[in-house]
Every structure is written in structure tokens, then in C-alpha cells.
Amino acid sequence: MALADPERHARWRRTLATVLTPRHAESLRKAVGQAVDEVLDGLAEAGPDPVDMVSGFAYQVPVRVLCELFDLPEELRPGLWGWAAQVRAAAPSTAAFGAAMGALFGVARQLVEKELAAPGDGLIGSLIAGLDEDARPSADELVSTVVLLATAGYESTAVQFANGLLALFQHPDQLARLRDGTVTEAAAVEEILRYAQAGTGFAGTTVTTEEVTLGGITLPEGATVFISLDSAARDERHVDRPDTFDLARGAARTHLTFGAGAHYCLGSSLARVELQEGFGRLLRRFPALTPAADPAAVEFTANLFHRYPRELKAVLR
């Protein structure tokens, strides 16, 4: 979808938007909460030793949520978990990443074949059942949709959890405000999305179609412009004290984490539900959660798209 011509993109997006709505995201909140609780149950069994919140929490929740989003049959779930492990291990190898994506296409194709034969209650089944055959996306488009949503909904959300937890550990006063309910989970998530972005700082390129002046610099027609969403989130003309992490001021208007315009993230509502449930349930289950080491000394890793802590050890009790 991201690479489709504008007319095809608009048609495809309108079709998906009939299912991926804020109401649909809210309908999944209970299932998302249960997925988070399953992960927390696993952490609770880890014992008194510090646990890695990156591998043990951040990368666990999104896969379970994807299984719920697609209502993935039990026989296909190991394939999705295998893809998730491959993707994480692939960085920074483009060949390994390509192999991982091939595995995901296999799962996606099996899911689409099943849903075309007998639509279920998941997103793809709802999409098929809710449209006339003439308006229905092709099988290839449905496969690409599964791949797109899985790719966008897995690692980006996992990294957002990891970077958000690190920001909270680095600002214990803000962690305390979220823990005691001084700020809402919804507001906290918006500030985490602004301040602790998941990306590498580079969001893509665009090309000028005419001469344009930006920041006092004139760019000629045909110039390639590199866009940084991180920079936009720290623009002092739009955000007061942009380098201050303040959960109370969290609002969607302070960041462009989900993009804007025609390519605004279709999964933004579900991502918000997932992050709200994840952070909220984590702190309610483990109110004494603290970093096991100085968060300022955390080592970072990066791949083709994201930058995040290599590990983030924490004491649960």
C-alpha cells in the first residue's frame, strides 16, 4: 500500500478504513488486555531476579495482539512467532530480513486462503464479509495487507514499548505520576510517542516539484528532502519545552509519530490501545517496577528502521 500509485492507494486505504476504525480498536481492548496479562504472568514466574523488559515484555505483547487482530488459527500462530523471531534476529542484514519477510508472506497467504474460503471474525474475514465481491481487494492485496499490518504492528510497537519504558526509568518523577494516576494512560502514551520515538530519526524522502524555501534555504525543483519526524516532535515553535519529558501535556497534536495526511497510520487507534493497556497493566501488576541498573548507561542497538535499548533489565518487586 505504501508504494501504490495514489489512485490505487486511496481505493485500498478507503477499503481498509471501513474496518480499521477507532471503534474496532476499542472492541479489541479486552483481548489486548488479556494478551498483556499473559505476558505479565510469564514475567511473574521469572522469579526475583531482574528481567529484560525488551525481550520479556516489549517484544512479546505485539505478536499476541496481531494474533487477536487477525483471529489467527492455532496452526498458523507458530509461523507468526517464527517470523517475529527471524525479524528481530535479522538486523542489520538485508538478506536475513528478506528471508524473514518471505516467511511472513507464507503465513499471510495461508490466512487469506482460509478467510476467502470461510470468512472468520478477524480483520481479513470482516473485510471480505463486509464488501461486495466487486469491491473486495484481490487475494494479493489481502496478502499484502496482512504483511503490511504485521510489519507495522510488530517491531514498531515493541520498540515503542522499550523506548517508552527507558524514558520512564530515566524520569522517575514521571513514572511516579503515571503509577499513582496523576496523569492518564492516554496522555502518557501521547507524550511517550512524542518524546521516545521508535524510529532512527529518518522517516523517508520526498522530492520538491517546484522551487521552495524551507528554514531560510531555497531548494530547487527536483531536490531530494530527507524528513525527520523526531525533529518535528522537538520543534519549539509547536511544542513548549520540547526536550522536557512531561506526561501531563501528552496530546496527539504534539507529534507526527503516526504520520499525517494520506499516509496517516491506519493502525494508530489500535497502537494507542495496545500501548495504553501495556503500560497501564504493567504498572498496576508491578507497582514497584524499577530499573536494575543506571538507565543512563543503557546500550542501544539499531536495525534498518528502529533504534532501541539492547536490553532493559528491571526489578519487578
Side-chain angles (χ1 to χ4, degrees), residues 251-282:
R253 66 178 179 276
T254 63
H255 65 82
L256 293 173
T257 303
F258 293 118
H263 288 275
Y264 186 80
C265 177
L266 276 167
S268 60
S269 294
L270 181 57
R272 286 184 164 103
V273 167
E274 190 170 345
L275 292 168
Q276 291 164 13
E277 291 296 313
F279 285 115
R281 288 174 183 263
L282 173 64

CSV table of all heavy atoms in Angstrom, one decimal, residues 251-282:
chain,number,residue,atom,x,y,z
A,251,ALA,N,-0.5,15.0,24.1
A,251,ALA,CA,-1.6,15.2,23.2
A,251,ALA,C,-1.2,14.8,21.8
A,251,ALA,O,0.0,15.0,21.4
A,251,ALA,CB,-2.1,16.6,23.3
A,252,ALA,N,-2.1,14.3,21.0
A,252,ALA,CA,-1.8,13.9,19.7
A,252,ALA,C,-1.3,15.0,18.8
A,252,ALA,O,-0.5,14.8,17.9
A,252,ALA,CB,-3.1,13.3,19.0
A,253,ARG,N,-1.6,16.2,19.1
A,253,ARG,CA,-1.2,17.4,18.3
A,253,ARG,C,0.3,17.7,18.4
A,253,ARG,O,0.8,18.5,17.7
A,253,ARG,CB,-2.0,18.6,18.6
A,253,ARG,CG,-1.8,19.2,19.9
A,253,ARG,CD,-2.7,20.4,20.2
A,253,ARG,NE,-2.5,20.9,21.5
A,253,ARG,CZ,-3.2,20.5,22.6
A,253,ARG,NH1,-4.1,19.6,22.4
A,253,ARG,NH2,-3.0,21.1,23.8
A,254,THR,N,1.0,17.1,19.4
A,254,THR,CA,2.4,17.4,19.7
A,254,THR,C,3.3,16.6,18.9
A,254,THR,O,4.5,16.7,19.1
A,254,THR,CB,2.7,17.3,21.2
A,254,THR,OG1,2.5,16.0,21.6
A,254,THR,CG2,1.8,18.3,22.0
A,255,HIS,N,2.9,15.6,18.1
A,255,HIS,CA,3.8,14.7,17.4
A,255,HIS,C,3.2,14.3,16.1
A,255,HIS,O,2.0,14.4,15.8
A,255,HIS,CB,4.1,13.5,18.3
A,255,HIS,CG,3.0,12.6,18.6
A,255,HIS,ND1,2.6,11.7,17.7
A,255,HIS,CD2,2.1,12.5,19.6
A,255,HIS,CE1,1.5,11.0,18.2
A,255,HIS,NE2,1.2,11.5,19.4
A,256,LEU,N,4.1,13.7,15.3
A,256,LEU,CA,3.8,13.2,14.0
A,256,LEU,C,4.2,11.7,13.9
A,256,LEU,O,4.5,11.2,12.8
A,256,LEU,CB,4.5,14.0,12.9
A,256,LEU,CG,4.1,15.4,12.7
A,256,LEU,CD1,5.0,16.1,11.6
A,256,LEU,CD2,2.6,15.5,12.2
A,257,THR,N,4.2,11.1,15.0
A,257,THR,CA,4.7,9.7,15.1
A,257,THR,C,3.9,8.8,14.1
A,257,THR,O,4.5,7.8,13.6
A,257,THR,CB,4.6,9.2,16.5
A,257,THR,OG1,5.3,10.0,17.4
A,257,THR,CG2,5.1,7.7,16.6
A,258,PHE,N,2.6,9.0,14.0
A,258,PHE,CA,1.8,8.2,13.1
A,258,PHE,C,1.7,8.8,11.7
A,258,PHE,O,0.9,8.4,10.8
A,258,PHE,CB,0.4,8.0,13.6
A,258,PHE,CG,0.4,7.2,14.9
A,258,PHE,CD1,-0.1,7.7,16.1
A,258,PHE,CD2,0.9,5.9,14.9
A,258,PHE,CE1,-0.1,6.9,17.2
A,258,PHE,CE2,0.8,5.1,16.0
A,258,PHE,CZ,0.4,5.6,17.2
A,259,GLY,N,2.5,9.8,11.4
A,259,GLY,CA,2.5,10.4,10.1
A,259,GLY,C,1.4,11.5,10.0
A,259,GLY,O,0.9,12.0,11.0
A,260,ALA,N,1.0,11.8,8.7
A,260,ALA,CA,0.0,12.8,8.5
A,260,ALA,C,-0.6,12.6,7.1
A,260,ALA,O,0.1,12.0,6.2
A,260,ALA,CB,0.5,14.2,8.7
A,261,GLY,N,-1.7,13.2,6.9
A,261,GLY,CA,-2.3,13.2,5.5
A,261,GLY,C,-2.7,11.9,5.0
A,261,GLY,O,-3.1,11.0,5.7
A,262,ALA,N,-2.5,11.7,3.7
A,262,ALA,CA,-2.9,10.5,3.0
A,262,ALA,C,-2.3,9.2,3.5
A,262,ALA,O,-2.9,8.1,3.4
A,262,ALA,CB,-2.7,10.6,1.5
A,263,HIS,N,-1.1,9.3,4.1
A,263,HIS,CA,-0.5,8.1,4.6
A,263,HIS,C,-0.5,8.0,6.2
A,263,HIS,O,0.3,7.3,6.7
A,263,HIS,CB,1.0,8.0,4.1
A,263,HIS,CG,1.1,7.7,2.7
A,263,HIS,ND1,1.1,6.4,2.2
A,263,HIS,CD2,1.1,8.5,1.6
A,263,HIS,CE1,1.2,6.5,0.8
A,263,HIS,NE2,1.2,7.7,0.5
A,264,TYR,N,-1.4,8.7,6.8
A,264,TYR,CA,-1.5,8.6,8.3
A,264,TYR,C,-1.8,7.1,8.6
A,264,TYR,O,-2.6,6.4,8.0
A,264,TYR,CB,-2.7,9.5,8.8
A,264,TYR,CG,-2.8,9.5,10.3
A,264,TYR,CD1,-1.9,10.3,11.0
A,264,TYR,CD2,-3.7,8.7,11.0
A,264,TYR,CE1,-2.0,10.4,12.4
A,264,TYR,CE2,-3.8,8.8,12.3
A,264,TYR,CZ,-2.9,9.6,13.0
A,264,TYR,OH,-3.0,9.7,14.4
A,265,CYS,N,-1.1,6.7,9.7
A,265,CYS,CA,-1.1,5.3,10.1
A,265,CYS,C,-2.5,4.7,10.3
A,265,CYS,O,-3.2,5.2,11.2
A,265,CYS,CB,-0.3,5.0,11.3
A,265,CYS,SG,-0.3,3.4,11.9
A,266,LEU,N,-2.9,3.7,9.5
A,266,LEU,CA,-4.3,3.2,9.7
A,266,LEU,C,-4.4,2.4,11.0
A,266,LEU,O,-5.5,2.3,11.6
A,266,LEU,CB,-4.5,2.2,8.6
A,266,LEU,CG,-5.1,2.8,7.3
A,266,LEU,CD1,-5.0,1.7,6.2
A,266,LEU,CD2,-6.5,3.3,7.4
A,267,GLY,N,-3.3,2.0,11.6
A,267,GLY,CA,-3.3,1.2,12.8
A,267,GLY,C,-3.1,2.1,14.1
A,267,GLY,O,-2.9,1.5,15.2
A,268,SER,N,-3.2,3.4,13.9
A,268,SER,CA,-2.9,4.3,15.1
A,268,SER,C,-3.8,4.0,16.3
A,268,SER,O,-3.3,4.0,17.4
A,268,SER,CB,-2.9,5.7,14.7
A,268,SER,OG,-4.2,6.1,14.2
A,269,SER,N,-5.1,3.8,16.0
A,269,SER,CA,-6.0,3.6,17.1
A,269,SER,C,-5.7,2.3,17.9
A,269,SER,O,-5.7,2.3,19.1
A,269,SER,CB,-7.5,3.6,16.6
A,269,SER,OG,-7.8,4.8,16.1
A,270,LEU,N,-5.4,1.3,17.2
A,270,LEU,CA,-5.0,0.0,17.8
A,270,LEU,C,-3.7,0.2,18.6
A,270,LEU,O,-3.5,-0.4,19.7
A,270,LEU,CB,-5.0,-1.1,16.8
A,270,LEU,CG,-4.6,-2.5,17.4
A,270,LEU,CD1,-5.6,-2.9,18.5
A,270,LEU,CD2,-4.6,-3.6,16.3
A,271,ALA,N,-2.7,0.9,18.0
A,271,ALA,CA,-1.5,1.1,18.6
A,271,ALA,C,-1.6,1.8,20.0
A,271,ALA,O,-1.0,1.5,21.0
A,271,ALA,CB,-0.5,1.8,17.7
A,272,ARG,N,-2.5,2.8,20.0
A,272,ARG,CA,-2.8,3.5,21.2
A,272,ARG,C,-3.4,2.6,22.3
A,272,ARG,O,-3.0,2.7,23.4
A,272,ARG,CB,-3.7,4.7,20.9
A,272,ARG,CG,-2.9,5.9,20.2
A,272,ARG,CD,-3.9,7.1,20.0
A,272,ARG,NE,-3.1,8.3,19.7
A,272,ARG,CZ,-3.0,8.8,18.5
A,272,ARG,NH1,-3.6,8.2,17.5
A,272,ARG,NH2,-2.3,9.9,18.3
A,273,VAL,N,-4.4,1.8,21.9
A,273,VAL,CA,-5.0,0.9,22.8
A,273,VAL,C,-3.9,0.0,23.4
A,273,VAL,O,-3.9,-0.3,24.6
A,273,VAL,CB,-6.1,0.1,22.1
A,273,VAL,CG1,-6.6,-1.1,23.0
A,273,VAL,CG2,-7.3,1.0,21.8
A,274,GLU,N,-3.1,-0.6,22.5
A,274,GLU,CA,-2.0,-1.5,22.9
A,274,GLU,C,-1.1,-0.9,23.9
A,274,GLU,O,-0.7,-1.5,24.9
A,274,GLU,CB,-1.3,-2.0,21.7
A,274,GLU,CG,-0.4,-3.2,21.9
A,274,GLU,CD,0.1,-3.8,20.6
A,274,GLU,OE1,-0.4,-3.5,19.6
A,274,GLU,OE2,1.1,-4.5,20.7
A,275,LEU,N,-0.6,0.3,23.6
A,275,LEU,CA,0.3,1.0,24.5
A,275,LEU,C,-0.3,1.4,25.8
A,275,LEU,O,0.3,1.3,26.9
A,275,LEU,CB,0.9,2.2,23.8
A,275,LEU,CG,1.8,1.9,22.6
A,275,LEU,CD1,2.1,3.2,21.8
A,275,LEU,CD2,3.1,1.3,23.0
A,276,GLN,N,-1.6,1.9,25.8
A,276,GLN,CA,-2.3,2.2,27.0
A,276,GLN,C,-2.4,1.0,27.9
A,276,GLN,O,-2.2,1.0,29.1
A,276,GLN,CB,-3.6,2.8,26.7
A,276,GLN,CG,-3.6,4.2,26.0
A,276,GLN,CD,-4.9,4.6,25.4
A,276,GLN,OE1,-5.9,4.0,25.6
A,276,GLN,NE2,-4.8,5.6,24.6
A,277,GLU,N,-2.9,-0.1,27.3
A,277,GLU,CA,-3.1,-1.3,28.1
A,277,GLU,C,-1.8,-1.9,28.6
A,277,GLU,O,-1.7,-2.4,29.7
A,277,GLU,CB,-3.8,-2.4,27.3
A,277,GLU,CG,-5.3,-2.0,27.0
A,277,GLU,CD,-6.1,-2.0,28.2
A,277,GLU,OE1,-6.0,-2.9,29.1
A,277,GLU,OE2,-6.9,-1.0,28.4
A,278,GLY,N,-0.7,-1.8,27.8
A,278,GLY,CA,0.6,-2.3,28.1
A,278,GLY,C,1.2,-1.6,29.3
A,278,GLY,O,1.5,-2.2,30.3
A,279,PHE,N,1.3,-0.3,29.2
A,279,PHE,CA,1.9,0.5,30.3
A,279,PHE,C,1.1,0.4,31.5
A,279,PHE,O,1.6,0.3,32.6
A,279,PHE,CB,2.2,1.9,29.8
A,279,PHE,CG,3.4,2.1,28.9
A,279,PHE,CD1,3.2,2.5,27.6
A,279,PHE,CD2,4.7,1.8,29.3
A,279,PHE,CE1,4.2,2.6,26.7
A,279,PHE,CE2,5.7,1.9,28.4
A,279,PHE,CZ,5.5,2.3,27.1
A,280,GLY,N,-0.2,0.6,31.3
A,280,GLY,CA,-1.1,0.6,32.5
A,280,GLY,C,-1.1,-0.7,33.3
A,280,GLY,O,-1.0,-0.7,34.5
A,281,ARG,N,-1.3,-1.8,32.6
A,281,ARG,CA,-1.4,-3.1,33.3
A,281,ARG,C,0.0,-3.4,33.9
A,281,ARG,O,0.1,-4.1,34.9
A,281,ARG,CB,-1.9,-4.1,32.3
A,281,ARG,CG,-3.4,-4.0,32.0
A,281,ARG,CD,-3.8,-5.0,30.9
A,281,ARG,NE,-5.2,-4.8,30.6
A,281,ARG,CZ,-6.2,-5.5,31.1
A,281,ARG,NH1,-6.0,-6.5,32.0
A,281,ARG,NH2,-7.5,-5.2,30.8
A,282,LEU,N,1.1,-3.1,33.2
A,282,LEU,CA,2.4,-3.4,33.7
A,282,LEU,C,2.6,-2.7,35.1
A,282,LEU,O,3.1,-3.4,36.0
A,282,LEU,CB,3.5,-2.9,32.7
A,282,LEU,CG,4.9,-3.0,33.2
A,282,LEU,CD1,5.3,-4.4,33.4
A,282,LEU,CD2,5.8,-2.3,32.2
